Amino acid sequence: MAEILATGAVRKMKTALTSPVSYTMILGTHEIPMNPFLGQQLQLEYLGVINCIHCDRKTSKSFNQGYCYPCFKRLAQCDSCIVSPEKCHYAAGTCREPEWGEQHCMIDHFVYLANTSGIKVGITRGSQVPTRWMDQGATQARPIFRVSNRLQSGLVETVFKPHIADKTNWQAMLKGDEEPRDLEEVRQRLMRECAVELDALSQQHGLQAITELPDEPDVHITYPVLEYPAKVKSLNLDKTPVIGGTLLGIKGQYLMFDTGVINMRKYGGYNLSLQTTG
């Protein structure tokens, strides 16, 4: 018999670094622990309304995973430098929201290695460790640099990009866990191959601004997955407003059903109903 668990505007799932990761779905004011529903029949229904995740106004289309168009054009958190931090223009005095930039960009960031669909380099604010790694579906991760602001993290990441991937292949990530890798070996290789460029950045920004972290331990992460899909089929609420099936696993921000997978972060602000159908 069907039972509605909650309705409301969805946000990205909360995570807690347990073994396996604990997931909580956010629908409006409701928080629903998702791990207990593994192996059960669930259904998500899009109710036809989207509320901007920043200003809450209704919008017919979502931009940048949950914003209305005016917020998308106005907010610093939607600027292109969020995706490409090496393009940060705070110092030029052209930040869309300087106060927001001071709180979120002009603070310590980490450059890290993660094992998602293979080894990749990434950046995140200190407050987002280890959340960022769980959101990406990483099974291993470790910080390798601490820097003083977002721009510097982007510059360090750019130095590494010719030598290592900086994006996750989400389809591969959802087909299973990558084999464990020696992140320390990878870190040492990058330090050798990029020594000249890293030294130049340190000289430019100051020796205290970019700090190598040679002794950070690996963080190992497991996910609540009963069975990985042999073929990854993406479910789309815009095309099919009712989706669901047997919940086989959760990894990154994806729910994995026997009928396909859905990236919950993509639908920020969508008003959904979550119910059991078994």
Side-chain angles (χ1 to χ4, degrees), residues 111 142-146 182-185 187-188 191 210-218:
V111 181
R142 65 178 289 182
I144 58 173
F145 278 94
R146 182 178 67 248
D182 187 339
L183 298 187
E184 173 61 13
E185 181 182 47
R187 186 193 72 82
Q188 291 186 19
M191 295 301 295
I210 301 175
T211 304
E212 184 184 353
L213 302 173
D215 301 318
E216 290 291 314
D218 288 7

Side-chain angles (χ1 to χ4, degrees), residues 38-260:
L38 285 173
Q40 297 189 32
Q41 293 277 326
L42 289 179
Q43 179 177 287
L44 281 169
E45 180 179 359
Y46 170 38
L47 302 178
V49 176
I50 306 171
N51 292 95
C52 174
I53 62 175
H54 180 78
C55 72
D56 201 43
R57 81 179 79 189
K58 288 185 179 180
T59 176
S60 59
K61 185 178 179 180
S62 169
F63 297 85
N64 200 31
Q65 300 179 333
Y67 297 89
C68 65
Y69 189 72
C71 285
F72 171 67
K73 296 297 289 183
R74 176 178 59 86
L75 297 176
Q77 59 199 280
C78 296
D79 205 346
S80 60
C81 52
I82 298 302
V83 176
S84 303
E86 71 277 9
K87 298 178 182 178
C88 174
H89 47 96
Y90 180 93
T94 54
C95 181
R96 292 180 179 181
E97 297 176 281
E99 185 176 337
W100 188 91
E102 290 170 7
Q103 295 175 355
H104 295 86
C105 301
M106 307 306 290
I107 60 173
D108 280 2
H109 279 61
F110 289 97
V111 181
Y112 63 84
L113 295 176
N115 190 359
T116 54
S117 55
I119 302 296
K120 69 178 288 288
V121 64
I123 68 163
T124 190
R125 297 192 302 271
S127 61
Q128 291 301 298
V129 172
T131 301
R132 177 68 170 163
W133 303 334
M134 292 184 284
D135 286 348
Q136 292 184 333
T139 53
Q140 290 173 272
R142 65 178 289 182
I144 58 173
F145 278 94
R146 182 178 67 248
V147 300
S148 297
N149 57 52
R150 187 172 183 84
L151 170 63
Q152 292 164 0
S153 70
L155 294 174
V156 174
E157 183 184 41
T158 299
V159 166
F160 288 147
K161 282 182 181 181
H163 305 270
I164 191 172
D166 67 321
K167 291 182 174 59
T168 296
N169 180 328
W170 64 270
Q171 294 99 330
M173 181 270 289
L174 292 176
K175 286 184 177 180
D177 291 339
E178 282 291 311
E179 289 295 319
R181 296 285 297 276
D182 187 339
L183 298 187
E184 173 61 13
E185 181 182 47
V186 176
R187 186 193 72 82
Q188 291 186 19
R189 173 178 63 82
L190 290 172
M191 295 301 295
R192 290 193 303 270
E193 294 174 349
C194 304
V196 173
E197 296 95 330
L198 292 171
D199 184 63
L201 284 178
S202 293
Q203 294 298 325
Q204 180 183 356
H205 294 275
L207 296 178
Q208 301 302 316
I210 301 175
T211 304
E212 184 184 353
L213 302 173
D215 301 318
E216 290 291 314
D218 288 7
V219 174
H220 296 270
I221 306 172
T222 59
Y223 295 89
V225 178
L226 300 178
E227 180 182 335
Y228 282 104
K231 184 177 180 180
V232 176
K233 175 188 175 184
S234 184
L235 302 174
N236 188 328
L237 288 171
D238 292 310
K239 296 179 179 179
T240 309
V242 179
I243 63 101
T246 301
L247 183 65
L248 296 180
I250 315 172
K251 190 178 184 185
Q253 282 288 319
Y254 287 85
L255 298 180
M256 295 185 280
F257 295 102
D258 59 347
T259 56

